[in-house]
């Protein structure tokens, strides 16, 4: 599966050279943004697996951009690598305190950056595999079964049409259907051939659109309002 890297730097030369260098890896797709505002807009359409960002950028600097990421549940777990001309110990401490995962002062060896990216992507995979969601699978599957059993017996459960019109995109509908089958994010990502982070984004949207706060609530709402089968 292709892993997506978002590179944010206001220097065209660095953007182009790193995009070409990292893009040589057939398993990586490298997208670039010239500033934090542009990167934030790109995040709304696609959630990358890792972000590489300069710190010293106009208007919104790297530290401020990282703060935005950490405040949004959709993006707060994305690994972030800082690139910066500021190499003092106090600057590195500031970066790590803000929540970055790695800090590489310019000029740097591209091979070192590649090694850092590989390491962080691997650690991210391990975290996702050991996510608390995995332990919730049995409970969710049981709840889905109970709900469907009740739906099969009209005397026990009433199915009503949603009083609120809910427009779902085709991808949101696909994710909802798979959640209702009891699949977790990693399994959904594999089925839809996308990243786990994108699945997290769609599940978050479904929570927002349905006014639910958990997968069990989402499935119950979807089944009782005919949004999935």
């Amino acid at each position: 599966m292709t892993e997506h890297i978002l590179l944010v730097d206001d220097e065209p030369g660095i953007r182009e050279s790193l995009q070409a260098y990292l893009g040589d890896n057939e398993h990586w797709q490298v997208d670039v943004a010239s500033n934090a505002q542009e990167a934030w807009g790109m995040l709304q359409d696609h959630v990358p697996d890792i972000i590489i960002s300069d710190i010293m950028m106009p208007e919104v600097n790297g530290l401020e951009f990282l703060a935005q990421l950490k405040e949004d549940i959709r993006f707060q777990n994305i690994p972030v690598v800082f690139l910066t001309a500021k190499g003092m110990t106090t600057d590195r401490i500031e970066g790590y305190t803000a929540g970055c995962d790695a800090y590489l002062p310019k000029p740097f060896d591209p091979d070192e950056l590649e090694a850092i990216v590989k390491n962080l992507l691997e650690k991210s995979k391990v975290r996702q595999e050991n996510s608390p969601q995995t332990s919730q699978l049995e409970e969710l599957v049981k709840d889905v079964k109970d709900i469907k059993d009740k739906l099969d017996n009209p005397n026990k459960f009433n199915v009503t049409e949603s009083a609120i019109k809910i427009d779902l995109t085709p991808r949101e509908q696909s994710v909802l259907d798979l959640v209702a089958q009891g699949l977790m994010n990693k399994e959904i990502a594999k089925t839809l051939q996308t990243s786990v982070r994108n699945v997290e984004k769609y599940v978050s949207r479904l929570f927002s659109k349905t006014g639910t706060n958990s997968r069990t609530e989402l499935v119950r709402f979807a089944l009782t309002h005919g949004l999935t089968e």
Side-chain angles (χ1 to χ4, degrees):
M1 186 180 297
T2 300
E3 295 172 306
H4 292 78
I5 300 171
L6 176 58
L7 171 64
V8 190
D9 199 302
D10 61 330
E11 296 183 39
I14 291 180
R15 287 200 308 272
E16 293 170 7
S17 61
L18 285 182
Q19 184 178 36
Y21 184 84
L22 297 175
D24 278 343
N25 188 318
E26 62 180 2
H27 299 296
W28 292 351
Q29 177 178 321
V30 184
D31 299 315
V32 297
S34 59
N35 54 60
Q37 296 96 318
E38 182 182 355
W40 188 258
M42 294 171 67
L43 284 167
Q44 310 311 308
D45 297 321
H46 187 85
V47 181
D49 296 290
I50 191 169
I51 294 174
I52 303 171
S53 176
D54 188 19
I55 289 184
M56 299 177 68
M57 295 185 291
E59 297 186 31
V60 178
N61 65 38
L63 292 169
E64 293 167 334
F65 178 46
L66 179 58
Q68 280 185 295
L69 295 172
K70 294 302 182 183
E71 290 175 358
D72 194 311
I73 191 172
R74 296 172 297 169
F75 313 132
Q76 58 189 201
N77 292 321
I78 302 176
V80 175
V81 179
F82 272 151
L83 304 179
T84 180
K86 302 170 66 177
M88 298 295 291
T89 300
T90 53
D91 298 323
R92 292 198 298 273
I93 291 174
E94 183 179 19
Y96 286 124
T97 301
C100 78
D101 296 271
Y103 191 110
L104 202 54
K106 300 175 183 178
F108 55 85
D109 186 334
D111 287 340
E112 182 178 3
L113 175 60
E114 182 180 17
I116 289 172
V117 170
K118 286 181 178 178
N119 183 47
L120 289 176
L121 287 173
E122 185 59 34
K123 287 182 177 180
S124 182
K125 287 180 185 177
V126 172
R127 279 199 304 268
Q128 290 167 6
E129 290 173 356
N130 296 328
S131 169
Q133 288 184 339
T134 304
S135 64
Q136 297 169 4
L137 178 58
E138 291 185 2
E139 180 182 351
L140 177 60
V141 171
K142 180 179 181 300
D143 287 342
V144 170
K145 182 179 183 301
D146 290 343
I147 294 169
K148 289 185 175 181
D149 286 345
K150 291 178 180 179
L151 289 174
D152 290 336
N153 188 337
N155 295 325
K156 292 183 178 180
F157 208 71
N158 293 322
V159 180
T160 62
E161 293 186 0
S162 176
I164 302 175
K165 180 176 176 56
I166 298 178
D167 293 320
L168 302 178
T169 66
R171 182 48 63 96
E172 288 170 347
Q173 184 66 59
S174 297
V175 171
L176 176 59
D177 293 340
L178 293 172
V179 170
Q181 292 176 28
L183 273 65
M184 304 308 288
N185 290 351
K186 182 181 177 182
E187 297 167 308
I188 295 173
K190 184 176 181 180
T191 300
L192 299 180
Q193 296 186 323
T194 187
S195 69
V196 173
R197 299 196 185 284
N198 269 337
V199 174
E200 291 173 348
K201 176 184 71 174
Y202 289 118
V203 171
S204 178
R205 286 182 181 177
L206 289 168
F207 286 160
S208 178
K209 287 187 175 183
T210 59
T212 55
N213 297 301
S214 69
R215 297 169 76 91
T216 301
E217 288 181 11
L218 174 61
V219 171
R220 182 181 296 276
F221 182 95
L223 290 172
T224 56
H225 292 83
L227 297 177
T228 190
E229 297 181 356

